[in-house]
């Protein structure tokens, strides 16, 4: 009988690092047994940033994928050591890899996540599943977001309207009406514009606790202009990324408003993240309690959490930590769950979310050589 233990690995659009989680699917409620985060090595982060701006060579692409895969392998081996487990005790790894380009709307839609699943299977000795998004795309879907099915499995609540909000580099929501069908989509920027702007002006990777943003004043005309971005008005299914919300996009908005102090731009970008999320939330029925469960790195920003609650006085706004699910590792756990689904020959996508024509078994399986 195969083990109920799975490992999920996620490195997301913020390029902050690698999240890994050990999840047990022995019972109806998945249990996160261990997790760890390692910062992305600086040279690799810089090379990935270059890649994500589209200027690269196939040689660089191949080498970055190999270097990144070696980092994933190191994380798996560290986790096995930390938990005193052998590779044979893990049924499979679900590794998202690193998205370097996501283009679901172009003439020939595609999405590209870098990871060499063969290398992970060979070097960890654990069956490894990668390439989760493209089966959904093969059926006409966006290929993202994929976490809503997992959110439904662990957060759905029969007595209240639950929205799960991931604030990563990009923000995405999952709508879980009581006893209703799950929907979800990317709302737009999460931390990525905030990160890019503080990196440009202060050389920091991110605005810890939103301190810099809190020292600025929101520039209302700039905010109103940014909120007119077509993406925010688009009807779901929809997904986005740094292909749209990047420094070039920001500088295009700023060109209409010269001389805004950098600190006020940071304050305005935080308000843009919050208001673009709030404007895309449904208005729950008055008699149904509503809860917003926040995860991802943005859940660690007290100013974002405070502004969300201020703009949503009728909602209970909290983090998934308050529901005993570590807000830093929800995405990593989701990819352990997606691997579990695939190994059970069950679908991982939600067609109502991605627009795919059907539910589908996701991923490419790289079997460990345990013969
Ligand atoms: N203490 C903190 N204060 C403010 N921001 C924080 C803090 N901790 C993390 N963050 C923000 O969270 C970001 C990382 O979030 P996360 O790991 O969820 O993103 P990701 O998974 O890479 O993105 P995505 O979900 O879009 O793929 C950091 O880049 C930073 O902007
Ligand atoms: C193409 C891609 O990597 N998209 C990410 C990104 O990061 C957040 C949001 O945009 C989400 O749609 C998605 O990741 C999560 C894990 C998802 O697929 O649900």
């Amino acid at each position: 009988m195969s083990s109920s233990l799975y490992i999920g690995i996620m490195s997301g659009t913020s390029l902050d690092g690698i999240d890994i989680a050990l999840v047990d699917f022995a019972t109806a409620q998945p249990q996160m047994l261990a997790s760890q985060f390692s910062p992305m090595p600086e040279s690799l982060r810089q090379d990935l940033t270059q890649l994500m701006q589209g200027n690269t060579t196939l040689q660089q692409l191949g080498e970055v994928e190999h270097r990144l895969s070696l980092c994933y392998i190191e994380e798996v081996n560290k986790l096995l050591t930390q938990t005193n487990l052998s590779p044979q005790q893990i049924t499979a790894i679900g590794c998202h890899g690193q998205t370097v380009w996501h283009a679901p709307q172009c003439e020939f839609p595609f999405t590209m996540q870098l990871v060499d699943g063969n290398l992970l299977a060979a070097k960890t000795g654990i069956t490894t599943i990668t390439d989760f998004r493209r089966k959904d795309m093969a059926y006409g879907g966006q290929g993202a977001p994929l976490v809503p099915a997992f959110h439904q499995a662990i957060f759905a609540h029969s007595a209240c309207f639950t929205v799960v909000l991931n604030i990563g580099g990009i923000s995405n929501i999952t709508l879980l009406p009581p006893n209703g069908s799950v929907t979800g989509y990317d709302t737009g920027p999460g931390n990525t514009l905030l990160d890019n702007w503080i990196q440009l002006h202060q050389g920091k990777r991110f605005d810890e606790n939103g301190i810099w943003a809190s020292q600025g004043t929101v520039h209302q005309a700039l905010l109103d202009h940014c909120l007119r971005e077509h993406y925010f008005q688009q009807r779901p299914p929809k997904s986005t990324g740094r292909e749209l919300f990047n420094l070039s996009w920001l500088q295009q908005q700023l060109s209409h408003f010269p001389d805004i102090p950098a600190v006020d731009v940071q304050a305005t970008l935080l308000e843009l993240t919050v208001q673009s999320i709030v404007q895309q939330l449904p208005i729950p029925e008055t008699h149904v309690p509503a809860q917003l469960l926040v995860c991802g790195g943005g859940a660690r920003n007290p100013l974002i959490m405070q502004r969300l609650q201020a703009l949503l006085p009728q909602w209970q706004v909290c983090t998934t930590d308050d529901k005993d699910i570590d807000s830093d590792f929800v995405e990593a756990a989701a990819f352990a769950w997606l691997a579990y689904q695939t190994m059970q020959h069950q679908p991982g996508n939600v067609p109502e979310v991605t627009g795919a024509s059907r539910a589908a078994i996701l991923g490419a399986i790289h079997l460990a050589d345990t013969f």
Side-chain angles (χ1 to χ4, degrees):
M1 177 182 165
S2 69
S3 156
S4 55
L5 298 180
Y6 286 70
I7 288 174
I9 306 175
M10 177 73 190
S11 56
T13 61
S14 72
L15 289 182
D16 64 325
I18 299 170
D19 300 325
I20 183 170
L22 174 69
V23 184
D24 189 352
F25 294 98
T27 62
Q29 184 68 14
Q31 297 296 319
M32 200 182 317
L33 302 181
S35 57
Q36 78 193 21
F37 167 79
S38 291
M40 193 67 78
E42 187 54 27
S43 65
L44 186 54
R45 196 174 80 94
Q46 286 175 12
D47 292 344
L48 282 164
T49 302
Q50 284 293 319
L51 265 179
M52 293 163 88
Q53 288 158 358
N55 42 5
T56 184
T57 64
L58 288 175
Q59 175 81 21
Q60 286 166 331
L61 187 73
E63 288 187 346
V64 164
E65 179 173 64
H66 190 110
R67 289 160 59 199
L68 179 63
S69 300
L70 293 178
C71 289
Y72 293 144
I73 291 162
E74 186 181 350
E75 292 310 303
V76 169
N77 291 332
K78 273 165 46 180
L79 188 73
L80 293 178
T81 303
Q82 175 201 332
T83 54
N84 195 26
L85 289 168
S86 69
Q88 293 72 26
Q89 291 175 277
I90 311 294
T91 294
I93 295 168
C95 184
H96 171 262
Q98 179 64 53
T99 294
V100 289
W101 206 264
H102 180 62
Q105 299 297 128
C106 65
E107 185 183 1
F108 302 106
F110 76 97
T111 187
M112 188 180 288
Q113 284 77 45
L114 296 188
V115 54
D116 183 343
N118 294 289
L119 200 56
L120 266 72
K123 297 296 183 185
T124 64
I126 303 171
T127 290
T128 300
I129 303 169
T130 61
D131 193 13
F132 288 93
R133 301 187 185 280
R134 291 195 293 178
K135 178 69 99 53
D136 179 85
M137 274 195 161
Y139 287 114
Q142 293 276 315
L146 291 180
V147 293
F150 175 67
H151 289 162
Q152 182 180 34
I154 59 171
F155 293 118
H157 194 298
S158 57
C160 60
F161 189 103
T162 300
V163 174
V164 184
L165 166 62
N166 168 66
I167 306 180
I170 296 293
S171 294
N172 56 287
I173 57 175
T174 298
L175 311 181
L176 300 169
N179 310 316
S181 57
V182 57
T183 54
Y185 44 89
D186 291 355
T187 59
N191 294 295
T192 189
L193 296 175
L194 290 160
D195 291 354
N196 285 345
W197 192 247
I198 198 168
Q199 173 84 40
L200 184 66
H201 286 273
Q202 297 192 1
K204 295 177 181 174
R205 276 201 180 186
F206 65 93
D207 181 8
E208 182 145 21
N209 298 331
I211 298 290
W212 193 37
S214 69
Q215 295 162 351
T217 304
V218 172
H219 191 286
Q220 193 59 48
L222 172 63
L223 176 61
D224 294 343
H225 182 82
C226 291
L227 285 168
R228 284 195 288 273
E229 160 60 46
H230 171 64
Y231 181 81
F232 299 133
Q233 277 55 255
Q234 254 177 268
R235 295 175 59 79
K238 63 179 183 176
S239 60
T240 188
R242 294 171 54 147
E243 297 78 13
L244 171 59
F245 294 107
N246 54 37
L247 213 45
S248 306
W249 178 90
L250 175 55
Q251 283 160 345
Q252 190 182 354
Q253 316 307 314
L254 288 174
S255 64
H256 303 280
F257 306 92
D259 310 327
I260 300 178
V263 66
D264 291 354
V265 174
Q266 189 75 351
T268 308
L269 291 175
L270 188 141
E271 196 66 15
L272 174 64
T273 286
V274 171
Q275 293 210 14
S276 59
I277 290 165
V278 169
Q279 286 181 2
Q280 296 183 72
L281 288 178
I283 299 170
E285 294 161 51
T286 48
H287 66 285
V288 178
Q291 60 177 358
L292 183 67
L293 307 182
V294 186
C295 57
R300 295 196 169 282
N301 186 323
L303 188 55
I304 285 180
M305 295 300 288
Q306 175 195 329
R307 289 298 301 143
L308 283 169
Q309 186 65 80
L311 292 174
L312 296 166
Q314 308 302 325
W315 291 64
Q316 181 204 2
V317 178
C318 62
T319 72
T320 58
D321 303 287
D322 301 314
K323 305 293 179 183
D324 297 327
I325 303 281
D326 190 326
S327 59
D328 287 331
F329 296 100
V330 172
E331 287 186 324
F335 280 86
W337 183 82
L338 287 166
Y340 173 74
Q341 287 294 102
T342 297
M343 296 299 280
Q344 305 293 320
H345 290 194
Q346 294 301 307
N349 66 333
V350 178
E352 293 75 11
V353 168
T354 63
S357 59
R358 57 162 298 160
I361 300 170
L362 307 180
I365 302 176
H366 307 86
L367 293 173
D369 298 300
T370 52
F371 49 89

